Amino acid sequence: GGGSIASIDDAGALKVGPHSAGAVPGPVAYGRGGVEPTVTDANVVLHRLSPDTLLNGKLKVQEQDARVVVEDKIASPLGLGLEEAAMGILRITNANMGRAIRSVSTERGHDLSKFALMAFGGAGPLHACDVAAECGIPNVVIPREPGTMCARGILLSDISLDFVRTLLITAAASNWHAVGKNFAEMREEGAAWLEGEKVAGNMRRFVQIVEARYEGQNFEVPVSVPSDTEMSFDEFLSEFAKGHRAEYGYDIPGRAVEIVNCRIKAVGLVPKPHDDFNPTGAGSLEEARIGTRSVLFSSRTGRVDTPVYARGRLPLATEFSGPAIVEEMSSTTVIPPEAKCHVDRAGNIIISNMKVL
């Protein structure tokens, strides 16, 4: 997050997080009493974030204070220049995020070149392109109003409750009926809970999972089991083998399979409003431009005069290239040099062709 604090550890190495300045006192650049250098302060120093104001002019940015704290607490102790220290803070931040992404993707057998990176929150769009380039993710999606996406999500999310029963049996055609019996009983429990939540019958859904493993293993593979049709035992074994190959890259034909848990998620659907995007964008990209500032994207490229656009004025389907900064009330999107960008009909900013700078 933008409030993550940069510091020098006992070995004299630069680190970022896990401690955070939070919203109060927040980054030094906010002028609310913060005294530790943060990721936000580094972005201000590099002009990736506006050095003047944020929140559509409602928050005055204290650029000089941010420069002083990064200089005094990071650059000088490490013998670095101010901008080099700020770039170091961002590189470590991006590496931390990249490592977290790989831990749930490539380390589980997924090819990141087949995915897009969804960037939300106030700070997500600031770092998304750098993280995507580092991880080999080809596309970045910046949703509308990314800084409020989580709040909107909790208002529109379906309600749900999980039920689980442990079986610990060796899977066989002779005992496969026990799985169906457990699911039937848990569906009744889930239906009772949904009834108590006043969810109409046509708005109820059940998601069923069998967690299974080869005998001798310690970790389970989830296998989806339809709630509206009956899955045969042979179909279950086939789906388990497929899931094991996806997770670990191999399966073991002939090895006994152990069923560990039956899980069911009772879901109450929440009606979603029709959210058609009605752009108020300008007629041309140039009309969306609100200024220019010198931004440091890489130590190798140096500072680059970069156009700044108001997101609400960006025209649909007009492709443009980085470098560019797109500002809105809840977030700032950084589009590096050579990246390609356009706004789709749902109002998302789609960015591609990111490169490690």
Side-chain angles (χ1 to χ4, degrees), residues 292-348:
T292 302
R293 65 172 178 259
S294 180
V295 179
L296 187 63
F297 293 93
S298 165
S299 300
R300 293 193 298 273
T301 61
R303 286 192 175 267
V304 180
D305 288 337
T306 303
V308 181
Y309 299 102
R311 179 164 185 176
R313 301 180 194 173
L314 287 174
L316 293 180
T318 299
E319 184 172 293
F320 59 98
S321 298
I325 301 291
V326 179
E327 294 185 341
E328 56 188 303
M329 193 284 291
S330 67
S331 189
T332 297
T333 299
V334 172
I335 303 167
E338 299 185 36
K340 304 297 183 183
C341 176
H342 71 277
V343 179
D344 69 10
R345 294 197 172 276
N348 302 301

Side-chain angles (χ1 to χ4, degrees), residues 5-9 13-17 19 36-37 73-74 78 89:
I5 293 172
S7 61
I8 300 172
D9 65 16
L14 176 61
K15 62 183 294 185
V16 180
H19 301 295
E36 300 294 339
K73 296 202 173 184
I74 303 297
L78 293 177
I89 292 171

Side-chain angles (χ1 to χ4, degrees), residues 208-344:
Q208 300 182 162
I209 299 290
V210 170
E211 294 177 335
R213 63 194 180 195
Y214 286 120
E215 285 191 343
Q217 289 184 321
N218 293 323
F219 300 99
E220 296 81 45
V221 172
V223 179
S224 295
V225 175
S227 61
D228 53 351
T229 59
E230 186 173 336
M231 172 183 272
S232 71
F233 177 65
D234 289 339
E235 288 173 327
F236 162 73
L237 289 180
S238 175
E239 288 300 309
F240 170 78
K242 185 188 301 183
H244 199 279
R245 288 194 299 272
E247 189 80 14
Y248 299 108
Y250 69 96
D251 63 333
I252 312 174
R255 171 75 67 86
V257 174
E258 185 177 47
I259 294 175
V260 180
N261 296 315
C262 291
R263 290 185 178 273
I264 192 166
K265 182 189 291 290
V267 180
L269 302 180
V270 172
K272 308 296 189 293
H274 292 291
D275 192 19
D276 295 330
F277 180 50
N278 296 310
T280 57
S284 69
L285 186 65
E286 190 56 36
E287 290 178 89
R289 187 166 176 165
I290 56 175
T292 302
R293 65 172 178 259
S294 180
V295 179
L296 187 63
F297 293 93
S298 165
S299 300
R300 293 193 298 273
T301 61
R303 286 192 175 267
V304 180
D305 288 337
T306 303
V308 181
Y309 299 102
R311 179 164 185 176
R313 301 180 194 173
L314 287 174
L316 293 180
T318 299
E319 184 172 293
F320 59 98
S321 298
I325 301 291
V326 179
E327 294 185 341
E328 56 188 303
M329 193 284 291
S330 67
S331 189
T332 297
T333 299
V334 172
I335 303 167
E338 299 185 36
K340 304 297 183 183
C341 176
H342 71 277
V343 179
D344 69 10

Side-chain angles (χ1 to χ4, degrees), residues 1-6 16-23 26-27 30 36-41 123:
S4 294
I5 293 172
V16 180
H19 301 295
S20 175
Y30 287 0
E36 300 294 339
T38 67
V39 174
T40 290
D41 294 312

Side-chain angles (χ1 to χ4, degrees), residues 161-163 183 186-187 206-208 262-266:
L161 187 65
D162 292 330
F163 300 82
F183 277 136
M186 285 192 289
R187 280 199 302 272
F206 295 97
V207 179
Q208 300 182 162
C262 291
R263 290 185 178 273
I264 192 166
K265 182 189 291 290

